[in-house]
Amino acid sequence: MQKIIMIKYGELTTKKDNKGLFLTTLKRNVENSLKNLNVEVSYDSGRMFVNPLNDNYDEVLNKLEKVFGIHELNIVYKIENDYEILKKELVDILKEKDFKTFKVSTKRSNKNFEKTSMEVSKELGAVVLKNLDKKEVDVHTPDLTINVEIRMDNFIVYFNKIEGAGGYPVGTLGKGLLMLSGGIDSPVAGYLVSKRGVRLEAIYFESPPHTSLEAKNKVISLAKKLSEYNGNIKLHVINFTNIQESIYKNIPNDYLITIMRRMMYRIGEQIANYNKCKILVNGESIGQVASQTLTSISAINSVITMPVIRPVACFDKLEIIDIANKIDTYKTSILPFEDCCTIFVPTHPVINPDIEKCVEYEKLIDYEELIKDAIKEHEIINVNNNVNEFEDIL
Ligand code: ATP
Ligand code: MG
């Protein structure tokens, strides 16, 4: 008998054509997230198993709970393929457990097994009643549910189910470039898109000396948090100072933010293309600020052709904060360091910007040259989650 962790990955099985890619990616992500923890990962008949060789089940489970593509985790007993041994070992396992009422729930993937699931449940129930004192069957609200799986090569017994992170394994859906500010929304956007299987790189616009090193370190910390879900993240840091100062000097005040964001999108698209990212991802939320009205989003979006995914577009701020707390980015996000969007804030930003005006105003600055320089000199920081070096397969 072996006590190990079993991984279930429900949603994957519906993606038949991609099953091979999904499974190899999931296995690799599981191995990467557990790299320093001395485990053995194996795969047999539709289930993945992790054996924590140092018996550090909780530590391993904590890491696995952040791996997308996993829908359920169980600590299981794997018992050899002999019905009599199953009965004996089940009694041994149950002697250590504190319960009064129980039920047995059996699933049979080995259709050649000589008994039906119902028969096995009944027989094992009788074994428990006979060998252990003062136990009762309760099929509705038992203290303990004894789950038994009859498989081709072994039996599995387990009691508790731990909910997995869900979604698809990171890397199976290609790569995206996350516009990561120090705020609350963009890390949440990054988490949500990771859940859909998207590998992330990130881009951060800084404006030294108007923005500080602390503001940049905050973004690095947020990227690090995200890397617990996404694997190592390549963070592109763009020095935005010249572009921002030029906008500030030459563009009418109410259009500052709109033009600035058009520049961010242009740079984002180029960095994304260069790094084989298929989408941009950001934390825009409809109506949250002047630059996020539908007219604003459309005026800003019109400078690029790459799709922009906005995972929090339809969430209320409080809903976004709930997720930020869940993924532990909120505390970092609310640290009071300035962002480049907040330093040159116009008194009355335009709510319904006119695209033709944007184009006219942009003629006042030599933005193509400025963008070229900013991209040429940009800094790359490899943010790792202290666990692994992530290699791309896509
Ligand atoms: P957040 O809370 O994520 O900062 P926000 O409500 O402050 O969002 P904006 O400042 O309008 O909204 O920014 C909208 C989105 O644009 C951000 O969620 C982020 O994806 C991107 N963004 C803003 N500033 C930066 C920056 N300095 N670097 C990278 N991306 C940025
Ligand atoms: Mg912001």
Side-chain angles (χ1 to χ4, degrees), residues 152-356:
M152 286 308 284
D153 300 319
N154 41 45
F155 295 103
I156 293 283
V157 173
Y158 62 94
F159 307 99
N160 296 318
K161 300 178 183 186
I162 301 160
E163 203 181 325
Y168 302 130
V170 167
T172 49
L173 269 294
K175 235 176 11 172
L177 181 65
L178 171 67
M179 299 170 71
L180 184 60
S181 66
I184 297 167
D185 305 326
S186 47
V188 171
Y191 162 82
L192 290 171
V193 84
S194 304
K195 184 167 181 177
R196 298 332 294 161
V198 177
R199 270 280 287 141
L200 288 177
E201 296 197 8
I203 184 167
Y204 168 59
F205 298 89
E206 63 168 356
S207 292
H210 313 294
T211 60
S212 62
L213 191 59
E214 282 98 332
K216 178 176 173 180
N217 285 337
K218 178 177 160 183
V219 172
I220 295 172
S221 308
L222 291 170
K224 206 168 177 146
K225 275 278 166 216
L226 281 178
S227 74
E228 291 176 22
Y229 297 91
N230 203 281
N232 293 353
I233 292 179
K234 192 167 161 190
L235 174 65
H236 303 265
V237 180
I238 303 284
N239 186 322
F240 207 48
T241 312
N242 289 344
I243 296 173
Q244 214 165 359
E245 286 180 352
S246 177
I247 293 172
Y248 195 62
K249 272 188 215 133
N250 298 294
I251 307 279
N253 192 274
D254 54 342
Y255 271 70
L256 289 183
I257 297 275
T258 315
I259 305 291
M260 199 180 79
R261 297 194 60 73
R262 283 162 62 97
M263 299 300 161
M264 285 186 176
Y265 268 48
R266 289 183 171 109
I267 295 173
E269 183 182 54
Q270 288 190 38
I271 298 279
N273 276 330
Y274 192 73
N275 290 281
K276 301 198 167 55
C277 297
K278 299 188 183 90
I279 54 168
L280 287 178
V281 182
N282 70 32
E284 286 170 339
S285 177
I286 297 170
Q288 200 184 81
V289 287
S291 60
Q292 292 167 20
T293 63
L294 295 186
T295 321
S296 279
I297 289 177
S298 131
I300 293 162
N301 208 151
S302 67
V303 298
I304 62 169
T305 54
M306 179 172 279
V308 179
I309 302 293
R310 302 173 176 87
V312 301
C314 304
F315 288 0
D316 290 346
K317 195 75 186 184
L318 288 178
E319 293 171 316
I320 300 173
I321 289 174
D322 273 352
I323 302 176
N325 274 317
K326 187 175 108 182
I327 62 171
D328 195 28
T329 53
Y330 184 70
K331 285 197 296 282
T332 309
S333 291
I334 57 170
L335 293 172
F337 303 119
E338 65 300 317
D339 178 53
C340 73
C341 288
T342 53
I343 48 176
F344 299 111
V345 193
T347 24
H348 296 292
V350 60
I351 287 170
N352 289 309
D354 179 73
I355 296 190
E356 274 158 29

Side-chain angles (χ1 to χ4, degrees), residues 46-237:
R47 300 269 194 253
M48 206 171 284
F49 294 93
V50 176
N51 187 5
L53 298 169
N54 298 348
D55 287 345
N56 46 348
Y57 294 89
D58 287 345
E59 201 179 352
V60 170
L61 282 170
N62 277 341
K63 297 276 181 198
L64 289 175
E65 280 173 46
K66 292 181 176 166
V67 176
F68 290 119
I70 296 180
H71 287 254
E72 195 179 297
L73 290 157
N74 314 105
I75 294 183
V76 305
Y77 298 87
K78 211 182 206 186
I79 296 168
E80 72 182 271
N81 197 4
D82 179 321
Y83 194 45
E84 292 312 309
I85 293 182
L86 168 66
K87 289 180 189 166
K88 183 183 161 312
E89 299 207 325
L90 178 61
V91 172
D92 288 344
I93 297 166
L94 291 176
K95 277 182 188 153
E96 309 295 317
K97 294 222 164 268
D98 183 21
F99 67 100
K100 182 160 169 27
T101 58
F102 73 97
K103 77 168 178 186
V104 182
S105 167
T106 307
K107 278 204 191 118
R108 189 179 64 152
S109 58
N110 174 5
K111 298 294 175 204
N112 298 326
F113 192 72
E114 64 270 18
K115 295 174 193 290
T116 65
S117 303
M118 280 291 259
E119 284 166 349
V120 171
S121 290
K122 266 196 196 147
E123 288 181 17
L124 293 180
V127 167
V128 175
L129 292 172
K130 184 170 156 221
N131 289 281
L132 295 165
D133 275 349
K134 298 190 185 132
K135 305 296 180 201
E136 285 169 25
V137 173
D138 177 350
V139 291
H140 301 296
T141 52
D143 299 338
L144 187 72
T145 299
I146 303 168
N147 297 289
V148 178
E149 289 188 10
I150 303 166
R151 294 155 45 85
M152 286 308 284
D153 300 319
N154 41 45
F155 295 103
I156 293 283
V157 173
Y158 62 94
F159 307 99
N160 296 318
K161 300 178 183 186
I162 301 160
E163 203 181 325
Y168 302 130
V170 167
T172 49
L173 269 294
K175 235 176 11 172
L177 181 65
L178 171 67
M179 299 170 71
L180 184 60
S181 66
I184 297 167
D185 305 326
S186 47
V188 171
Y191 162 82
L192 290 171
V193 84
S194 304
K195 184 167 181 177
R196 298 332 294 161
V198 177
R199 270 280 287 141
L200 288 177
E201 296 197 8
I203 184 167
Y204 168 59
F205 298 89
E206 63 168 356
S207 292
H210 313 294
T211 60
S212 62
L213 191 59
E214 282 98 332
K216 178 176 173 180
N217 285 337
K218 178 177 160 183
V219 172
I220 295 172
S221 308
L222 291 170
K224 206 168 177 146
K225 275 278 166 216
L226 281 178
S227 74
E228 291 176 22
Y229 297 91
N230 203 281
N232 293 353
I233 292 179
K234 192 167 161 190
L235 174 65
H236 303 265
V237 180

